[in-house]
Amino acid sequence: MLFAQLSRFRPTGAGRRTNELERSWITLGTSTRLQILRTAERLFATQGIDATSLRQISADAEQRNTAAAKYHFQNKPTLIRAIFDYRLDGIDTRRAQLLKLAEDEGRLDEPWHLVEVLVRPLAEQAAEPGSHYVRFLDRVCEHVGRDVTALPEIAGLDEAVAVGRLVTDRLPFLSQPQVRPRIRWAGQLILTALADLEQRNASADPRSDEPDTETFVVALIDAVTGLLTAAASAPRE
């Protein structure tokens, strides 16, 4: 299964990614590799992981050689990891800025602001014209059975995981069996909602009754914070 292959590309330390791989596609044939990478991101986002072949990616990237994607990235797991490497530097930089701002303002103990650190960088990416990354991320999550806890093994989402741990540290009133499913549901909600936002922004005919992006983002942060911080009810006997 592709997930098993992807897991081999897990980072070897916090904050580290496949720097060797990143340097290779940045320095060698950048234009071609970047065209293939962006085309792959779009096709994975719109068609799904399994439904997209390396041959189709090469053809859609307007490469005369239909084996170009295989030549430059060897296989689908490496290509998927390269997409994460390409996107995460900017997203993680923005996340670090928001985390520093929350720290400077003395808000690190407030779950709402930590959830914002998780949500807003992805929301800003989703609002970028022509963006497919959040839908790609949602498709990868779909591929691993909607298990967001599997994504760090695939993508090396070290900074997002670190912020998630800060959130869970502020939920001492919940036991581990209570908090684990909430973290999973929160991640699923974030990805699904922001993939919808990205799709809405890409639509040529958006619905007039949809909220503006900032209202959408704040509502999502509210919803995720509520999901995580709601008091646990006693199970019915």
Side-chain angles (χ1 to χ4, degrees):
M1 184 179 176
L2 179 59
F3 172 57
Q5 294 176 278
L6 285 166
S7 297
R8 297 204 308 265
F9 294 91
R10 187 173 187 172
T12 57
R16 294 182 59 190
R17 298 203 189 93
T18 49
N19 294 330
E20 193 172 308
L21 169 65
E22 189 176 62
R23 283 195 299 271
S24 71
W25 68 259
I26 286 176
T27 57
L28 300 175
T30 298
S31 177
T32 298
R33 288 180 180 228
L34 193 55
Q35 187 173 357
I36 292 170
L37 184 146
R38 287 175 172 168
T39 300
E41 181 184 58
R42 172 175 56 81
L43 291 175
F44 287 143
T46 55
Q47 298 181 169
I49 305 300
D50 290 330
T52 303
S53 68
L54 293 180
R55 182 175 291 272
Q56 182 189 6
I57 291 167
S58 299
D60 274 44
E62 299 180 344
Q63 301 300 305
R64 287 193 296 267
N65 182 358
T66 57
K70 181 176 176 61
Y71 172 78
H72 285 285
F73 293 96
Q74 289 79 56
N75 52 50
K76 199 182 291 187
T78 308
L79 177 52
I80 288 171
R81 184 52 195 268
I83 294 170
F84 281 116
D85 285 337
Y86 174 64
R87 293 295 183 189
L88 280 175
D89 279 342
I91 290 170
D92 286 345
T93 297
R94 177 61 172 146
R95 185 163 283 134
Q97 292 171 346
L98 290 171
L99 193 61
K100 181 65 165 58
L101 180 62
E103 181 181 22
D104 291 346
E105 295 177 348
R107 295 178 174 177
L108 283 184
D109 288 331
E110 301 175 28
W112 193 96
H113 292 286
L114 291 173
V115 172
E116 182 183 27
V117 172
L118 286 173
V119 170
R120 192 168 291 280
L122 278 179
E124 291 171 350
Q125 175 62 45
E128 285 288 320
S131 177
H132 291 89
Y133 174 71
V134 182
R135 283 171 288 172
F136 157 76
L137 181 56
D138 190 53
R139 288 288 198 171
V140 174
C141 185
E142 176 184 77
H143 184 76
V144 296
R146 309 303 306 178
D147 182 7
V148 295
T149 63
L151 290 179
E153 294 190 24
I154 299 170
L157 306 173
D158 302 318
E159 286 75 10
V161 169
V163 176
R165 286 181 181 141
L166 289 176
V167 175
T168 57
D169 288 345
R170 283 142 183 83
L171 305 174
F173 51 89
L174 296 175
S175 66
Q176 280 300 311
Q178 291 170 330
V179 78
R180 284 195 198 102
R182 293 195 191 197
I183 292 295
R184 186 169 63 250
W185 299 332
Q188 291 168 352
L189 175 57
I190 290 169
L191 288 184
T192 301
L194 293 180
D196 285 347
L197 176 64
E198 189 176 75
Q199 180 62 48
R200 187 190 77 179
N201 290 340
S203 174
D205 186 26
R207 289 172 48 182
S208 60
D209 60 343
E210 292 284 1
D212 62 77
T213 297
E214 181 59 17
T215 300
F216 183 104
V217 171
V218 170
L220 176 58
I221 296 169
D222 286 343
V224 173
T225 303
L227 168 61
L228 292 171
T229 60
S233 302
R236 291 187 178 182
E237 295 183 359

